[in-house]
Amino acid sequence: MTLEFRLNRPDPTAADLDCVVVGLYADGSLAPSAKALDQAAGGRIAALARRGDLSGKTGRTAMLHDLPGVKSPRVLVVGLGDAAKFAVPQYLKVVADAVRALKTGPVRRGLLTLPELPVAGRDAGWALRQAIVAADHAAYAYTATRTVKNGDDGLQALDVAGDAALQAEFDRGVSIAAGVELARELGNLPPNICNPGYLADTARRIAKEHEGVTVEVLERADMEKLGMGSLLAVARGSANPPRLVVLRYQGAGDAKPYALVGKGITFDTGGINLKVQGGIEEMKFDMCGAASVFGAFLATAKMKLPLNLVMVVPAVENMPDADAYRPSDILTSMSGKTIEVGNTDAEGRLILCDALTYTQRFEPQAIVDVATLTGACVIALGKFAAGLMSKHDDLAGELLAAGENVFDRAWRLPLWDEYQTQLESAFADVYNIGGKGAGAITAGCFLSRFTEGQRWAHLDIAGVSNGEGRKGLATGRPVGLLAQWLIDRAG
């Protein structure tokens, strides 16, 4: 974990910590803990707000030092915005902005009082849980392959205001934060480290460290026996052998499991259809679907949810080579359906189709696949919403509601049969691309052909999985959505 968390509700005036974080609304009114500190300090905080030295605008921060009557040497005041409009996005933003203000500097342990705030439509347990997730996300720094300077360690721990009755929600928050962090770390690691074998080793470590978790890793020979010709074709050009990684969590006896399937292209050159349009340097993020289902699985195991869960990750590197698969090749998938390759850079769906077929042996209650599948989804929805496709209105509704709950949102795109005509082939059962129009949807249509009879949904996370540019980091989305969906299923 980036931060150590502790559930605590001390008197904020007597908290023996490096800093206490309190809130100030735009109209100058103080949140409860801020009021307590203000009274102890003889009205000092309110006076500073009245003369304009403190701002209540959303996310603005100001550090106050050595307030009289307050044991902590520092008080961070964070702006909360309009009290009448204080809803989920504002709440998560002010928590994150407060932690970012403390991320570097002398504060090692602080008290976050913001979970005491009323958030429109949410209860105290939700506020506590999501504060932990947002705080850990804001404090995250990638260091795996960077030299960290001595003393540059900044904030290390947060006490989070909450009553002992909320211990279960606190524990869930810590678990989900760990899952988000794992997803981010896997996404951020370079492809010469995070390859298919590394993902397999990560699964083995999770199984070793968590009760009720088992792991199975299928090698190339195992997949050949199963007839996974589509997945194996994508892997042919790489020196790194493919893996099919399977994690199982048993928390509900013999109940049928839920299944998460994640696209694990650990680096995507485009294959023979080499990416020449730019952006190839960001293709280590093409395994963020796999990273997110790893994160959601870890969170589930840590929360010990009373359900069964299967995670399946086809882990492959897509490289050009003398043995690489080609446009016009005909592949035979595990399902028996044949696929004409129109573009080797539409490889994610080719590994997912075999993984989806394999997943059906577990007789899941529902399957959700997660993939950085199409640039078309980024064009359609940008960086704020994942694309959701399903023929099952109830399942789509569950996922959309989960995303809205934790502000990890998705938007539903149609999956009408009319779009299937774009995948027709004269030489095989299906073409792997659908042309220029509706690229995200036709990718979903392709996957739907391998999930017939299943309660299935597809999440295209190409827009939300990572930031852009040299310093863009993996976001960990949609671990929050998936974790909430599984919490809802557990009851």
Side-chain angles (χ1 to χ4, degrees):
M1 290 286 293
T2 295
L3 291 178
E4 174 192 347
F5 292 96
R6 183 172 66 178
L7 181 63
N8 192 15
R9 188 182 281 281
D11 175 356
T13 65
D16 189 13
L17 298 167
D18 297 330
C19 184
V20 177
V21 180
V22 297
L24 169 71
Y25 290 104
D27 63 1
S29 59
L30 303 175
S33 289
K35 286 182 181 178
L37 296 181
D38 186 59
Q39 291 172 358
R44 182 66 176 157
I45 297 176
L48 290 170
R50 283 194 298 271
R51 75 183 193 189
D53 290 319
L54 301 177
S55 173
K57 290 184 178 180
T58 305
R60 294 286 183 87
T61 60
M63 185 71 81
L64 308 180
H65 297 86
D66 301 317
L67 287 179
V70 178
K71 188 164 188 177
S72 174
R74 303 171 190 84
V75 172
L76 182 73
V77 180
V78 58
L80 305 177
D82 187 344
K85 298 179 181 178
F86 193 69
V88 172
Q90 291 76 22
Y91 176 70
L92 298 178
K93 174 175 168 46
V94 299
V95 170
D97 286 340
V99 171
R100 277 191 283 267
L102 301 178
K103 186 174 178 178
T104 58
V107 175
R108 297 293 178 265
R109 185 169 211 129
L111 170 64
L112 185 71
T113 69
L114 301 182
E116 71 188 6
L117 301 172
V119 183
R122 303 294 188 272
D123 60 22
W126 179 94
L128 176 66
R129 169 159 50 102
Q130 294 307 127
I132 293 168
V133 176
D136 194 69
H137 194 282
Y140 173 84
Y142 175 77
T143 60
T145 53
R146 296 177 62 237
T147 301
V148 180
K149 297 178 181 178
N150 292 333
D152 188 23
D153 45 4
L155 185 66
Q156 298 172 358
L158 272 181
D159 284 24
V160 185
D163 296 324
L166 298 176
Q167 183 67 50
E169 290 294 344
F170 172 87
D171 293 341
R172 283 184 172 181
V174 172
S175 298
I176 295 168
V180 172
E181 187 170 324
L182 173 63
R184 299 189 78 188
E185 196 72 2
L186 289 174
N188 289 330
L189 284 169
N192 59 320
I193 293 176
C194 187
N195 55 32
Y198 187 92
L199 290 180
D201 288 342
T202 299
R204 294 185 182 104
R205 175 173 56 81
I206 291 172
K208 183 178 180 180
E209 294 176 355
H210 295 86
E211 184 180 355
V213 176
T214 57
V215 62
E216 183 180 11
V217 177
L218 276 64
E219 306 286 346
R220 190 192 304 269
D222 302 314
M223 290 182 273
E224 287 174 348
K225 290 178 182 178
L226 290 167
M228 293 185 173
S230 186
L231 187 160
L232 291 171
V234 179
R236 270 178 19 206
S238 175
N240 288 310
R243 306 287 198 281
L244 189 77
V245 182
V246 183
L247 277 170
R248 301 184 70 180
Y249 164 74
Q250 292 289 123
D254 295 330
K256 289 186 177 181
Y258 294 90
L260 300 177
V261 179
K263 173 187 170 184
I265 299 290
T266 58
F267 193 77
D268 180 23
T269 65
I272 297 301
N273 290 106
L274 190 69
K275 292 179 184 287
V276 295
Q277 73 276 19
I280 193 172
E281 68 280 359
E282 295 184 0
M283 286 300 105
K284 69 175 185 177
F285 293 121
D286 210 19
M287 46 69 66
C288 281
S292 67
V293 298
F294 262 101
F297 186 94
L298 178 66
T300 299
K302 285 184 173 295
M303 289 187 286
K304 299 182 179 179
L305 292 180
L307 52 71
N308 294 334
L309 180 65
V310 176
M311 182 206 81
V312 178
V313 166
V316 175
E317 196 173 53
N318 186 25
M319 299 287 285
D321 180 78
D323 192 39
Y325 79 123
R326 298 153 293 228
S328 297
D329 279 0
I330 304 293
L331 314 177
T332 302
S333 68
M334 182 182 174
S335 72
K337 292 184 173 71
T338 57
I339 304 164
E340 181 182 0
V341 178
N343 190 316
T344 63
D345 196 22
E347 83 299 329
R349 64 201 71 182
L350 296 178
I351 68 169
L352 283 171
C353 69
D354 279 348
L356 288 165
T357 300
Y358 182 84
T359 301
Q360 293 172 37
R361 65 179 49 204
F362 300 108
E363 298 182 354
Q365 297 188 49
I367 304 173
V368 178
D369 79 69
V370 188
T372 51
L373 208 59
T374 65
C377 195
V378 186
I379 299 301
L381 298 175
K383 305 295 288 185
F384 300 108
L388 168 65
M389 282 154 268
S390 180
K391 291 186 177 181
H392 302 272
D393 293 343
D394 57 345
L395 178 57
E398 292 169 5
L399 292 164
L400 291 170
E404 288 294 333
N405 189 333
V406 297
F407 205 63
D408 184 1
R409 295 187 291 182
W411 189 258
R412 192 175 182 185
L413 298 172
L415 204 59
W416 301 330
D417 289 341
E418 289 87 341
Y419 289 108
Q420 293 283 359
T421 60
Q422 295 179 229
L423 297 173
E424 292 176 354
S425 166
F427 304 101
D429 297 328
V430 60
Y431 206 53
N432 84 320
I433 53 174
K436 292 183 179 180
I441 294 169
T442 54
C445 286
F446 179 93
L447 296 177
S448 75
R449 296 197 180 200
F450 299 87
T451 55
E452 293 169 355
Q454 300 295 309
R455 190 166 173 260
W456 160 82
H458 162 60
L459 283 168
D460 191 329
I461 63 166
V464 304
S465 63
N466 61 278
E468 296 178 327
R470 286 191 306 116
K471 295 186 177 181
L473 294 173
T475 63
R477 294 181 65 184
V479 172
L481 182 158
L482 295 172
Q484 183 62 51
W485 178 66
L486 291 166
I487 289 170
D488 294 340
R489 306 286 68 73

